[in-house]
Amino acid sequence: MGTTVTVWNEFVHEREDDDATAVYPDGIHRTIADALDERGFDTRTATLDEPEHGLTEDVLDETDVLVWWGHTAHETVDDSVVERVADRVLGGMGLLVLHSASLSKVFRSLLGTTGTLRWREADERERLWVTDPGHEIAAGVEDFIELAEAEMYGEPFDVPTPDSVVFTSWFEGGEVFRSGCCWRRGKGRVFFFRPGHETHPIYHDPTIQRVLANAAEWATPAVEDRSTPTLRNVDPCERIEGYSSSSESE
Amino acid sequence: MGTTVTVWNEFVHEREDDDATAVYPDGIHRTIADALDERGFDTRTATLDEPEHGLTEDVLDETDVLVWWGHTAHETVDDSVVERVADRVLGGMGLLVLHSASLSKVFRSLLGTTGTLRWREADERERLWVTDPGHEIAAGVEDFIELAEAEMYGEPFDVPTPDSVVFTSWFEGGEVFRSGCCWRRGKGRVFFFRPGHETHPIYHDPTIQRVLANAAEWATPAVEDRSTPTLRNVDPCERIEGYSSSSESE
Amino acid sequence: MGTTVTVWNEFVHEREDDDATAVYPDGIHRTIADALDERGFDTRTATLDEPEHGLTEDVLDETDVLVWWGHTAHETVDDSVVERVADRVLGGMGLLVLHSASLSKVFRSLLGTTGTLRWREADERERLWVTDPGHEIAAGVEDFIELAEAEMYGEPFDVPTPDSVVFTSWFEGGEVFRSGCCWRRGKGRVFFFRPGHETHPIYHDPTIQRVLANAAEWATPAVEDRSTPTLRNVDPCERIEGYSSSSESE
Amino acid sequence: MGTTVTVWNEFVHEREDDDATAVYPDGIHRTIADALDERGFDTRTATLDEPEHGLTEDVLDETDVLVWWGHTAHETVDDSVVERVADRVLGGMGLLVLHSASLSKVFRSLLGTTGTLRWREADERERLWVTDPGHEIAAGVEDFIELAEAEMYGEPFDVPTPDSVVFTSWFEGGEVFRSGCCWRRGKGRVFFFRPGHETHPIYHDPTIQRVLANAAEWATPAVEDRSTPTLRNVDPCERIEGYSSSSESE
């Protein structure tokens, strides 16, 4: 396959909160990286407390798709790293944004919106309906994915209209949510996937893992040139009456 | 009509560059504000050198649509004002972004992209074709708008796919450009309109003025509530087995 | 306001089915037309059993927005009337498609999809969440509209990705649905609105009526020229080396 | 690769018109099929004069992507074949629509619009700019594709707003055109590609062939289930107060 995925995690809850440790003893990033590794991706991980949050230029040079999980430490992420990641996405790197990372700086800066929503922790039932059955991210999923206990996210979700809403959630408590959303920015692709609270074993679910793998495949850069878009002063292709470009005049 | 438009201009070229002064002696903002005023809008202006760039909370409280012209001083605009304007757009305020303001902080932060493009100053002919003939921003425009002398902007234009491309430009030198683009962010609407170099009398053109008026009408907030989207912890609408919300349990 | 709305109804259930007659004694079209009339629209009605289904060229000449309700008699609608209506939409006429009319010939021909969905009649609770809070069709609606008893429509809904999903429904039985969807075709605008079974008094609900009025306002043609798009052989705007157009050569 | 492409051609001009015969002696379908074959696709061809136009259920069963070229004989194509092809697209089959096939019944029925445009035959220069540089259909293409002599197609092009406009054309005579457009319908993908008049050797151009191969790859079905969307009466997922479904009550 040849796609390299870097799984980034703030990795705070799993070291400080017993409930999270019990579910993800080595961190959410480890569980996701293992799941993608098993499905044929080359994977690495990076966390908040590493130098440059583990997202140096060298690491990003070798990253085709970046997975982002954050919740409690969004504001701790350095702006220069945020900018670096966003630039890479514009140049073609894929980005999978998970759960509470709808409020991350990276996601907000690429979409231009707040990523805010309604929420509730009530261990309630969620059913993610496939609302774009022809989309590759839904491949292998039946009519819906059911999660026995989930945190609720409810509409309105403050994001630009997605190019596709692959999943739409029903919640026991009465709300709905666009839970799988695709956008493109520059040459890159962004997928937001709602499930995944730190105290629910959702990333251990094989169907959820399949969706993550589908999304990583979808977000793999489609063209070779990964340069960030730039401003360019250009000579004309056609002759313009009365004009000599600098290069022509030499 | 009741729509209040604030026309913002960095107002640098027209005070420092004779060619610009000749075309816009009182500044581009004055020409545009007069044109909108004649077409029934309540207008005011604001410029970079005013306190808070003239865009205080009070001013924005009374602004339905903000017009933004900038070119040489993008980096001088204070980040707190940029954030304030972007928040207002998410809350419903309309935003018209003109010409070189594709590189402004406000536009880039709302779209998440660089706004970069090809460019050339060769006083060449431009023809803006109507590519969405049913759109209200094109009302009153024939098949195309022709400009005898224009700066060239060429594709690729690094912006997210617009909801509508109302105008697409042909340039004498051989390029094309999406010159009239609509997006929505939060509850607000954003229109980018390409024409308008500081040394070309383009904003004096009645058809261009008509388009600006159409766009201001289109961008007028559609709902009354102008609050910025927020995160909300909510009680369920339906009974959840085994769950008592905090408010219910009291 | 000056917008003329024609409300079309197949008008079968209300004359044959006691439950429907009890709720809409004069037909669904009458209830909707009255509601729009009260809100300032000029209204008329048309039904299946009139000559040309009441949708002659003359009637359509005077129609800005057409409302379409059908369920049991889709296949009885004459293809020439379907084509006539679709042509008018491409020329700028607005179209509001209600409930089971997702399967109507007019809707299917304008969208190119089947309009199929899951369904169930179980008199269950529906909650239509506003998923595009800045959209004019949601003006005046709080967070959601709740209907005590409704027929269920569930995803996947076979339609092209809407430009906006103004409402998304939650159903008591566990499904979700995109219940308020906007598209544009040619110069015209199409809004699908899910609520409205013939045996539920949904069109008597003032909030539902408000949404219909908002939608009629939104769908009002934005430009004056209502001609259907046509193929045109044209002379060049610019001189082409070695080419003389027929008109130039005469 | 495993993708099977069927190239359909009305195959009229190349048998009746010397200029067309000179450029495509075995028909446009043969040239395109050979180009795709060389790039790793399994290919077959079909033409108007074969029984069922060569597009039987059996042929379509084995077709992942259908290429469609037509010009002078659109109205001769049988409606039942049009419906069959459109159904297959909704079920997931990819469709590449070339040049004058913007007026074909298949394209019009899937998009819901007329596909009309401005046109002119003046052997003028065309430059197709890449306007979505991150899209896989543009892979391997530099800034633009230049064609020395082309028929002109000009805006407005009566189609729904594309999901992506991969190419936008500049014409010597002064027009612009959205020349590479993507849409999705049901589970299938549709790409329109403008170049390709029967008397210009455009399909012999390796860059054009590369785009066609990219598009065939892009349009390959993304999910296994190729059934056409259908209406389904379903039992609830959740218990509804006071309701027993037929299957539950047995």
Side-chain angles (χ1 to χ4, degrees):
Chain A
M1 189 171 288
T3 294
T4 298
V5 180
T6 299
V7 182
W8 189 90
N9 181 10
E10 61 175 37
F11 197 23
V12 174
H13 294 294
E14 303 96 313
R15 292 194 285 200
E16 298 183 353
D17 168 3
D18 288 350
D19 289 348
T21 308
V23 182
Y24 299 106
D26 301 316
I28 282 174
H29 52 296
R30 193 64 265 150
T31 301
I32 292 174
D34 288 349
L36 293 175
D37 202 77
E38 283 169 26
R39 285 164 177 80
F41 294 89
D42 296 326
T43 60
R44 57 195 310 164
T45 64
T47 56
L48 181 66
D49 58 2
E50 296 175 40
E52 304 183 44
H53 310 323
L55 298 173
T56 60
E57 296 285 5
D58 284 354
V59 166
L60 294 179
D61 278 347
E62 296 173 9
T63 299
D64 295 311
V65 177
L66 180 66
V67 178
W68 193 277
W69 198 98
H71 179 212
T72 195
H74 293 317
E75 292 313 308
T76 313
V77 178
D78 196 82
D79 285 342
S80 66
V81 173
V82 170
E83 193 174 338
R84 186 187 299 163
V85 167
D87 277 357
R88 294 289 180 143
V89 171
L90 298 182
M93 184 178 75
L95 181 69
L96 311 190
V97 176
L98 302 184
H99 192 60
S100 43
S102 81
L103 297 171
S104 66
K105 289 181 183 178
V106 164
F107 187 66
R108 282 162 34 208
S109 79
L110 281 164
L111 294 198
T113 49
T114 64
T116 54
L117 42 85
R118 277 181 167 73
W119 65 279
R120 172 176 63 237
E121 292 191 62
D123 295 343
E124 67 198 274
R125 190 156 52 261
E126 175 180 8
R127 189 175 293 109
L128 295 105
W129 287 92
V130 174
T131 39
D132 191 352
H135 202 286
E136 53 261 62
I137 294 181
V141 181
E142 297 296 313
D143 294 339
F144 55 78
I145 302 171
E146 190 167 318
L147 301 173
E149 297 199 335
E151 186 183 4
M152 186 284 293
Y153 282 11
E155 296 278 348
F157 184 22
D158 182 36
V159 290
T161 302
D163 298 337
S164 169
V165 178
V166 184
F167 301 102
T168 302
S169 286
W170 176 98
F171 286 96
E172 190 180 355
E175 287 86 359
V176 297
F177 197 71
R178 288 168 288 174
S179 286
C181 300
C182 300
W183 298 269
R184 297 180 62 210
R185 284 295 176 275
K187 288 181 282 190
R189 296 170 176 210
V190 179
F191 181 64
F192 172 79
F193 192 44
R194 200 211 78 78
H197 200 52
E198 64 273 11
T199 58
H200 295 130
I202 285 171
Y203 297 126
H204 294 289
D205 180 313
T207 308
I208 296 293
Q209 293 180 353
R210 170 75 190 267
V211 171
L212 292 173
N214 288 345
E217 185 70 18
W218 170 81
T220 299
V223 296
E224 284 193 14
D225 174 12
R226 298 268 193 103
S227 60
T228 302
T230 52
L231 204 58
R232 277 185 282 177
N233 188 357
V234 296
D235 284 332
C237 307
E238 305 281 329
R239 203 179 130 71
I240 297 172
E241 191 73 24
Y243 173 75
S244 303
S245 69
S246 46
S247 55
E248 289 175 339
S249 60
E250 283 168 43
Chain B
M1 189 171 286
T3 294
T4 298
V5 181
T6 300
V7 183
W8 189 89
N9 182 11
E10 61 176 37
F11 198 22
V12 175
H13 293 295
E14 304 96 313
R15 293 194 285 202
E16 296 183 354
D17 168 3
D18 289 350
D19 289 347
T21 309
V23 182
Y24 298 105
D26 301 316
I28 282 174
H29 52 294
R30 193 64 265 151
T31 300
I32 292 175
D34 288 349
L36 294 174
D37 201 78
E38 283 170 25
R39 285 164 177 82
F41 294 88
D42 296 325
T43 61
R44 58 195 310 164
T45 65
T47 55
L48 181 67
D49 58 2
E50 296 175 40
E52 304 182 43
H53 310 324
L55 298 173
T56 60
E57 296 284 5
D58 284 354
V59 167
L60 295 179
D61 278 348
E62 296 173 11
T63 299
D64 296 309
V65 178
L66 179 64
V67 179
W68 194 276
W69 199 99
H71 179 212
T72 194
H74 293 317
E75 292 312 309
T76 312
V77 177
D78 196 82
D79 285 342
S80 66
V81 173
V82 171
E83 194 173 336
R84 185 187 299 163
V85 167
D87 277 357
R88 294 291 180 141
V89 172
L90 298 182
M93 183 179 75
L95 180 69
L96 311 189
V97 175
L98 303 184
H99 192 60
S100 42
S102 81
L103 298 172
S104 66
K105 289 180 183 178
V106 164
F107 187 67
R108 281 164 34 209
S109 79
L110 281 164
L111 294 198
T113 49
T114 65
T116 54
L117 43 85
R118 276 181 168 73
W119 66 278
R120 173 176 62 237
E121 292 193 61
D123 295 343
E124 68 198 273
R125 189 156 54 259
E126 175 180 8
R127 189 175 294 109
L128 295 105
W129 287 91
V130 174
T131 39
D132 191 351
H135 201 286
E136 53 262 62
I137 295 181
V141 180
E142 297 296 313
D143 295 338
F144 56 78
I145 303 171
E146 189 168 319
L147 300 173
E149 298 199 335
E151 186 183 4
M152 187 283 295
Y153 281 12
E155 295 279 347
F157 183 24
D158 182 36
V159 289
T161 302
D163 299 337
S164 168
V165 177
V166 184
F167 301 102
T168 303
S169 286
W170 176 100
F171 287 97
E172 190 181 354
E175 287 85 359
V176 298
F177 198 72
R178 287 169 288 174
S179 285
C181 300
C182 299
W183 297 270
R184 299 181 60 211
R185 284 296 176 273
K187 288 182 281 190
R189 298 170 174 209
V190 179
F191 182 64
F192 171 79
F193 192 43
R194 200 210 77 79
H197 200 53
E198 64 273 11
T199 58
H200 294 130
I202 284 170
Y203 297 126
H204 294 288
D205 180 314
T207 307
I208 296 294
Q209 294 179 352
R210 170 74 190 266
V211 171
L212 292 173
N214 288 346
E217 185 70 17
W218 170 81
T220 299
V223 296
E224 282 193 16
D225 174 11
R226 298 267 194 104
S227 59
T228 302
T230 52
L231 204 59
R232 276 184 284 178
N233 188 358
V234 295
D235 284 334
C237 307
E238 304 282 329
R239 203 179 130 71
I240 298 172
E241 191 73 24
Y243 173 76
S244 303
S245 69
S246 46
S247 56
E248 288 174 341
S249 61
E250 282 167 45
Chain C
M1 190 170 290
T3 294
T4 298
V5 181
T6 300
V7 183
W8 189 89
N9 181 12
E10 61 175 38
F11 198 23
V12 175
H13 294 294
E14 304 96 314
R15 292 193 283 201
E16 299 183 354
D17 168 3
D18 288 350
D19 289 347
T21 309
V23 182
Y24 298 106
D26 301 317
I28 282 175
H29 54 294
R30 192 64 265 150
T31 301
I32 292 174
D34 288 349
L36 293 175
D37 201 76
E38 283 170 25
R39 286 166 177 80
F41 294 87
D42 296 325
T43 61
R44 57 196 309 164
T45 65
T47 54
L48 181 67
D49 59 1
E50 297 175 40
E52 306 183 42
H53 310 323
L55 298 174
T56 60
E57 295 284 5
D58 284 353
V59 166
L60 294 178
D61 278 346
E62 295 173 10
T63 299
D64 295 310
V65 178
L66 179 65
V67 179
W68 194 277
W69 200 99
H71 179 213
T72 195
H74 294 317
E75 293 312 308
T76 314
V77 177
D78 195 83
D79 286 341
S80 66
V81 173
V82 170
E83 193 173 338
R84 186 187 298 163
V85 167
D87 277 356
R88 293 290 181 142
V89 172
L90 298 182
M93 184 179 76
L95 180 70
L96 311 189
V97 176
L98 303 183
H99 193 60
S100 43
S102 81
L103 297 172
S104 66
K105 289 181 183 177
V106 164
F107 188 65
R108 281 163 35 208
S109 78
L110 281 164
L111 295 198
T113 50
T114 65
T116 54
L117 42 85
R118 277 181 168 75
W119 66 277
R120 175 176 61 238
E121 291 192 62
D123 295 343
E124 68 199 274
R125 190 156 54 261
E126 174 181 11
R127 189 175 293 109
L128 296 104
W129 287 92
V130 174
T131 39
D132 191 352
H135 202 287
E136 53 261 60
I137 294 180
V141 181
E142 297 296 313
D143 294 338
F144 56 78
I145 303 170
E146 190 167 318
L147 301 173
E149 298 198 336
E151 185 183 5
M152 187 284 294
Y153 282 10
E155 295 278 349
F157 184 22
D158 182 36
V159 290
T161 302
D163 299 336
S164 168
V165 178
V166 184
F167 302 102
T168 302
S169 286
W170 176 99
F171 286 96
E172 190 180 355
E175 287 86 359
V176 298
F177 197 72
R178 288 169 289 173
S179 286
C181 300
C182 301
W183 296 269
R184 300 180 61 209
R185 284 295 176 273
K187 288 182 282 189
R189 297 169 175 211
V190 179
F191 182 64
F192 171 79
F193 193 44
R194 199 210 79 79
H197 200 53
E198 64 273 12
T199 58
H200 295 130
I202 284 171
Y203 297 126
H204 294 289
D205 179 313
T207 307
I208 296 293
Q209 293 179 353
R210 170 73 189 267
V211 170
L212 292 174
N214 288 346
E217 184 70 17
W218 170 80
T220 300
V223 297
E224 284 193 16
D225 174 12
R226 299 268 193 103
S227 60
T228 302
T230 52
L231 203 59
R232 277 185 282 178
N233 188 357
V234 296
D235 285 332
C237 307
E238 305 281 330
R239 202 179 130 71
I240 298 172
E241 192 72 25
Y243 173 75
S244 303
S245 70
S246 46
S247 54
E248 288 174 340
S249 60
E250 282 168 45
Chain D
M1 189 171 291
T3 293
T4 298
V5 181
T6 299
V7 183
W8 189 89
N9 181 12
E10 61 176 36
F11 198 23
V12 176
H13 294 294
E14 305 97 313
R15 293 193 284 200
E16 298 183 355
D17 168 2
D18 289 349
D19 289 347
T21 309
V23 182
Y24 298 106
D26 300 317
I28 282 174
H29 53 295
R30 193 63 265 152
T31 301
I32 292 174
D34 288 348
L36 293 175
D37 201 77
E38 283 170 25
R39 285 165 177 80
F41 294 87
D42 296 325
T43 61
R44 58 196 309 164
T45 65
T47 56
L48 181 66
D49 58 2
E50 298 174 38
E52 304 182 46
H53 310 324
L55 299 173
T56 61
E57 296 285 5
D58 285 352
V59 166
L60 294 179
D61 278 347
E62 296 173 10
T63 299
D64 296 308
V65 177
L66 179 66
V67 179
W68 194 277
W69 200 99
H71 180 211
T72 194
H74 293 318
E75 293 312 310
T76 314
V77 178
D78 196 82
D79 285 342
S80 66
V81 173
V82 170
E83 194 173 337
R84 185 188 299 163
V85 167
D87 277 356
R88 294 289 180 141
V89 171
L90 298 181
M93 184 179 74
L95 181 69
L96 311 190
V97 176
L98 302 183
H99 191 62
S100 42
S102 80
L103 298 172
S104 65
K105 289 181 183 176
V106 164
F107 187 67
R108 282 163 32 209
S109 80
L110 281 164
L111 294 198
T113 49
T114 64
T116 54
L117 42 87
R118 277 182 169 74
W119 66 279
R120 173 176 62 238
E121 292 192 61
D123 295 343
E124 68 198 274
R125 190 156 53 259
E126 174 180 10
R127 189 176 293 109
L128 295 106
W129 287 92
V130 174
T131 39
D132 191 352
H135 202 287
E136 53 262 60
I137 294 181
V141 180
E142 298 296 314
D143 295 337
F144 55 78
I145 303 171
E146 190 168 318
L147 301 173
E149 298 199 336
E151 185 183 3
M152 188 283 294
Y153 282 11
E155 295 278 348
F157 183 24
D158 182 35
V159 290
T161 302
D163 298 337
S164 169
V165 178
V166 184
F167 301 102
T168 303
S169 287
W170 177 99
F171 287 96
E172 191 180 354
E175 286 86 0
V176 297
F177 197 72
R178 288 169 289 172
S179 286
C181 300
C182 300
W183 297 269
R184 298 180 61 211
R185 284 296 176 273
K187 289 182 280 190
R189 296 170 176 211
V190 179
F191 182 63
F192 172 79
F193 192 44
R194 199 210 79 77
H197 201 53
E198 64 274 11
T199 58
H200 295 129
I202 284 171
Y203 297 126
H204 293 289
D205 178 313
T207 307
I208 296 293
Q209 293 180 353
R210 170 73 190 267
V211 171
L212 293 173
N214 288 344
E217 185 70 19
W218 170 82
T220 300
V223 297
E224 282 192 17
D225 173 12
R226 298 266 194 104
S227 60
T228 301
T230 52
L231 204 59
R232 277 184 282 177
N233 188 358
V234 296
D235 284 333
C237 307
E238 305 281 330
R239 203 179 130 72
I240 298 172
E241 192 72 25
Y243 173 75
S244 303
S245 69
S246 46
S247 56
E248 287 174 340
S249 61
E250 283 169 43

